[in-house]
Amino acid sequence: MNILGISAFYHDSAAALVQDGKIVAAAQEERFTRVKHDSRFPTNAVAYCLREAGITAAQLDYAAFYEKPLLKFDRLLETYLAYAPSGFPSFREFLPVWLREKLHQPRDIRAALGPDFKGSLVFTEHHESHAASAFFPSPYQDAAVLTMDGVGEWASTTIGEGVDNHLRLLSEQRFPHSLGLLYSAFTYWCGFKVNSGEYKLMGLAPYGEPRFADLIFEKLLDLREDGSFRLRLEYFNYCEGLTMTNARFDELFGGPPRRAEADLTAVHMDVAASIQKVTEEIVLRLARHVRQLTGRSRLCLAGGVALNCVANGILLREKTFDDIWIQPAAGDAGGALGAALFVWHQLLDKPRTAQPEDSQFGSLLGPEWPEADIRAFLDGRQIPHEKFDDEDSLCAAVADVIAGERVVGLCRGRMEFGPRALGARSIVGDPRSTKMQTQMNLKIKFRESFRPFAPAVLRDHVHECFGMEPGQPSPYMLLVAPVNPELRTPNGSGAATGLDRVREVRSTLPAITHVDYSARVQTVDPEHQPLFHNLLRHFHARTGCPVLINTSFNVRSEPIVCTPEDAYRCFLRTEMDYLVLGPFLLEKKAQPVLAEDSDWRQE
């Protein structure tokens, strides 16, 4: 039986294909169109999933959409009526789009799948999709489930439990009281883009002090012991307006929202630290309540807030639960996968047996480019390259290059599903280098200098470098852990302040050690990521260091690369030194200069 899951029309459109209960393929539309957070119907992602499964639309039994459009429309109408007439400008902007497009999603989905599609169309609720994406692929036969995001139809947080092949949602918090929207309001005020800049706010937080946390608790929300809360909506504008915050919010924090690209001040850093602390407290209270309510010893997380890896790390270390599994595509894209799995297990009552790690195959669910196709691309463009006949010799050569403080792009194997590059579409470097963090941010990623880089570490060695248990898994880069004290060095002269602190050397792994001695850890094992594991193994043998810098293979405002051509173009546009395309190694010095008609960084 073939079930296609779809998320579309709002943020991060995606498609996923489940075949007789097995996850066969999943991908975000942005990777194919090269439009960041593409929200259009995922035509290209659907076509890829069908190809990977070896079927056509005529062989689909079900297409499952990740939320209920009419229920969302009900929430929007009710909200605008409640705030009339002040919400009219926002209402005027949203209504024509809904009447023209979004209310006709059943018709549009069938039209997009083509006349050959004769299967059933199913609409799950938004947080059902999130919960299904969290529990069904998890390594647990039973678990509590917590989903947190901005808002779906009405729910913004749900608590549930999964047992065997069924989910049950027990309680929910509803719009407009939302942890995701609260965090996005501060993202907006600090000058970052809502729905894509929240991770920047999280990365900025360690530079500040949480001196506004008490003010947030006092003025902006009424938090209860069980983690539920009510926002004081007079400080926010997202219910009726086109912005997240208003003048009362501005007055509370001493000024208007920061303009994009304007300097980040100490106030912005302290505000970021404060909302991060508040978020962590809410998540901890929610988790304690979930444990008490369900009695389950393991927890599954999904929804956009589950991408807050700092809060996840604190939650794990508090040991409210024995273990935690987080859906790697925790945002709306993962809803496509959750909707498909929900149909298979919940609606069709198909059995489920949890796998020892998980059933998501390292989230390497996207397209892979055969060697013959890569060779045809290189030869067709007359691109200089070196071919390696075996995996070990390639990894040994790349490890030597990285040990020489060179930066390497990796495009090989199946592309990752979710926002994190996990070694298949990655840029890697030597974490021991004192210059690597700044060099990669400014000359390769073209992004803010304060942004931290994540370490990829051999799973068997994770406890040697980070405050984690021996062999503890974090395969999807969704947990932050402290760098071990024995690796730390004195914190510079102490004279640096603000963002200048990024240049201070804090450990023997300076390029991945954040200003608070933390790191967003990815563990790598041979079962889930054999290609990346082999490279790490060779680097460890070459240097004695079991860690590499791992950042996504893209530049600022661009989706992660998908094809060899995407990777090659990004390689030429940046100061990367080498590029791996399958079994081929390309050196920058041997490549022609890329001629472009305009400065892509200004687009």
Side-chain angles (χ1 to χ4, degrees):
M1 185 171 289
N2 300 304
I3 304 171
L4 178 71
I6 300 166
S7 64
F9 306 128
Y10 304 108
H11 189 70
D12 278 345
S13 292
L17 200 291
V18 172
Q19 199 166 46
D20 293 332
K22 179 183 178 182
I23 303 169
V24 173
Q28 293 119 289
E29 183 70 2
E30 67 167 16
R31 306 292 172 84
F32 303 95
T33 63
R34 313 309 301 154
V35 177
K36 187 81 168 173
H37 300 303
D38 198 337
S39 62
R40 294 170 293 183
F41 185 86
T43 302
N44 298 281
V46 167
Y48 155 67
C49 287
L50 294 176
R51 285 195 310 272
E52 188 67 32
I55 62 172
T56 66
Q59 294 167 280
L60 286 172
D61 298 283
Y62 292 88
F65 193 73
Y66 80 128
E67 63 181 14
K68 295 182 181 291
L70 288 177
L71 193 56
K72 175 165 274 192
F73 186 69
D74 171 70
R75 188 255 300 170
L76 290 165
L77 274 183
E78 190 170 321
T79 301
Y80 287 127
L81 287 172
Y83 284 86
S86 62
F88 183 74
S90 180
F91 176 79
R92 183 177 56 198
E93 184 171 297
F94 115 92
L95 188 62
V97 176
W98 270 87
L99 293 178
R100 185 175 63 250
E101 300 173 7
K102 296 183 179 180
L103 279 182
H104 305 289
Q105 286 173 20
R107 178 199 66 191
D108 293 343
I109 291 170
R110 286 193 177 274
L113 293 176
D116 291 340
F117 172 64
K118 306 299 183 184
S120 300
L121 194 56
V122 176
F123 291 83
T124 60
E125 287 195 24
H126 186 100
H127 276 262
E128 281 180 335
S129 299
H130 276 322
S133 78
F135 174 64
F136 290 133
S138 79
Y140 314 135
Q141 201 65 30
D142 69 277
V145 181
L146 176 61
T147 69
M148 306 166 286
D149 66 3
V151 62
E153 297 88 0
W154 278 102
S156 60
T157 296
T158 64
I159 295 170
E161 61 183 357
V163 180
D164 297 331
N165 64 334
H166 278 273
L167 269 170
R168 186 164 65 110
L169 297 185
L170 304 172
S171 66
E172 68 179 27
Q173 179 158 304
R174 305 190 104 198
F175 177 88
H177 309 289
S178 161
L179 180 55
L181 291 176
L182 175 64
Y183 204 86
S184 290
F186 282 88
T187 300
Y188 168 83
W189 191 84
C190 286
F192 303 121
K193 191 174 181 179
V194 171
N195 287 331
S196 64
E198 283 78 5
Y199 63 98
K200 297 181 184 180
L201 191 71
M202 184 179 65
L204 182 64
Y207 290 91
E209 296 295 330
R211 61 187 178 96
F212 296 107
D214 290 343
L215 182 67
I216 294 171
F217 281 123
E218 177 187 349
K219 296 291 186 181
L220 297 187
L221 73 157
D222 176 20
L223 176 63
R224 301 179 179 94
E225 195 59 37
D226 65 359
S228 64
F229 60 87
R230 296 187 66 81
L231 293 175
R232 297 193 173 95
L233 298 173
E234 62 268 26
Y235 289 94
F236 301 92
N237 196 44
Y238 57 79
C239 285
E240 72 270 30
L242 299 174
T243 61
M244 293 298 296
T245 58
N246 59 24
R248 292 193 67 172
F249 190 102
D250 298 346
E251 183 179 357
L252 202 60
F253 295 101
R258 168 181 165 261
R259 290 178 293 106
E261 309 303 330
D263 290 341
L264 285 160
T265 67
V267 171
H268 296 118
M269 299 173 207
D270 292 345
V271 165
S274 300
I275 188 58
Q276 179 62 34
K277 181 177 180 180
V278 168
T279 298
E280 291 160 9
E281 179 61 27
I282 294 171
V283 169
L284 287 173
R285 291 194 189 190
L286 276 169
R288 293 170 194 144
H289 175 64
V290 171
R291 178 64 192 262
Q292 183 179 30
L293 180 66
T294 67
R296 306 286 173 185
S297 62
R298 292 163 296 198
L299 177 68
C300 298
L301 294 173
V305 177
L307 294 172
N308 193 308
C309 50
V310 177
N312 295 342
I314 292 172
L315 177 58
L316 185 66
R317 289 191 293 279
E318 194 194 58
K319 298 188 181 301
T320 299
F321 289 88
D322 295 344
D323 208 356
I324 297 172
W325 192 84
I326 306 154
Q327 166 55 237
D332 281 0
L337 178 59
L341 291 170
F342 189 88
V343 170
W344 176 256
H345 290 299
Q346 190 91 353
L347 299 188
L348 299 178
D349 198 25
K350 298 295 185 180
R352 167 184 174 271
T353 301
Q355 301 304 307
E357 296 290 340
D358 61 48
S359 60
Q360 198 148 323
F361 306 104
S363 214
L364 301 176
L365 300 171
E368 178 177 10
W369 304 96
E371 179 181 327
D373 290 358
I374 301 173
R375 182 184 291 279
F377 166 70
L378 295 173
D379 291 345
R381 296 273 292 268
Q382 296 184 316
I383 295 171
H385 62 271
E386 180 181 0
K387 165 70 164 55
F388 285 81
D389 293 327
D390 63 89
E391 171 72 11
D392 275 346
S393 59
L394 172 63
C395 288
V398 175
D400 283 345
V401 165
I402 296 171
E405 293 192 280
R406 302 291 189 268
V407 178
V408 181
L410 303 177
C411 179
R412 57 189 195 141
R414 295 188 69 176
M415 182 178 69
E416 301 90 340
F417 178 53
R420 306 285 180 241
L422 302 170
R425 302 292 185 276
S426 290
I427 300 172
V428 295
D430 190 340
R432 303 169 302 163
S433 170
T434 58
K435 66 181 183 181
M436 195 59 64
Q437 196 261 4
T438 300
Q439 177 182 336
M440 290 179 73
N441 265 330
L442 299 181
K443 295 185 178 182
I444 295 170
K445 300 285 283 187
F446 301 107
R447 68 184 194 180
E448 299 89 349
S449 63
F450 69 84
R451 302 269 296 279
F453 285 107
V457 57
L458 292 169
R459 179 169 163 179
D460 290 345
H461 295 268
V462 64
H463 63 289
E464 299 169 8
C465 303
F466 306 102
M468 297 172 66
E469 298 295 325
Q472 182 177 333
S474 178
Y476 302 123
M477 207 183 287
L478 287 170
L479 294 172
V480 164
V483 174
N484 282 345
E486 61 268 23
L487 301 184
R488 300 180 188 182
T489 57
N491 191 359
S493 64
T497 59
L499 299 185
D500 289 339
R501 292 167 60 200
V502 73
R503 298 186 181 90
E504 294 182 327
V505 175
R506 288 177 172 75
S507 79
T508 57
L509 302 172
I512 56 87
T513 303
H514 206 10
V515 294
D516 59 350
Y517 294 104
S518 69
R520 179 161 48 95
V521 178
Q522 176 198 0
T523 56
V524 181
D525 61 72
E527 289 75 29
H528 283 101
Q529 299 124 322
L531 298 178
F532 197 32
H533 182 272
N534 203 21
L535 175 58
L536 266 164
R537 183 176 62 82
H538 277 276
F539 185 75
H540 182 222
R542 167 75 169 74
T543 66
C545 176
V547 179
L548 284 174
I549 299 171
N550 178 18
T551 188
S552 57
F553 197 153
N554 65 324
V555 293
R556 187 180 186 184
S557 301
E558 178 190 60
I560 294 173
V561 300
C562 177
T563 68
E565 185 173 0
D566 298 335
Y568 185 66
R569 182 173 56 250
C570 187
F571 173 57
L572 292 187
R573 281 175 165 177
T574 68
E575 295 187 30
M576 265 182 275
D577 300 293
Y578 287 83
L579 170 63
V580 177
L581 293 177
F584 304 97
L585 182 62
L586 287 62
E587 185 178 9
K588 174 63 70 62
K589 291 179 181 178
Q591 306 305 315
V593 176
L594 179 65
E596 297 191 274
D597 295 332
S598 61
D599 185 354
W600 55 272
R601 280 171 288 186
Q602 303 304 317
E603 295 174 358

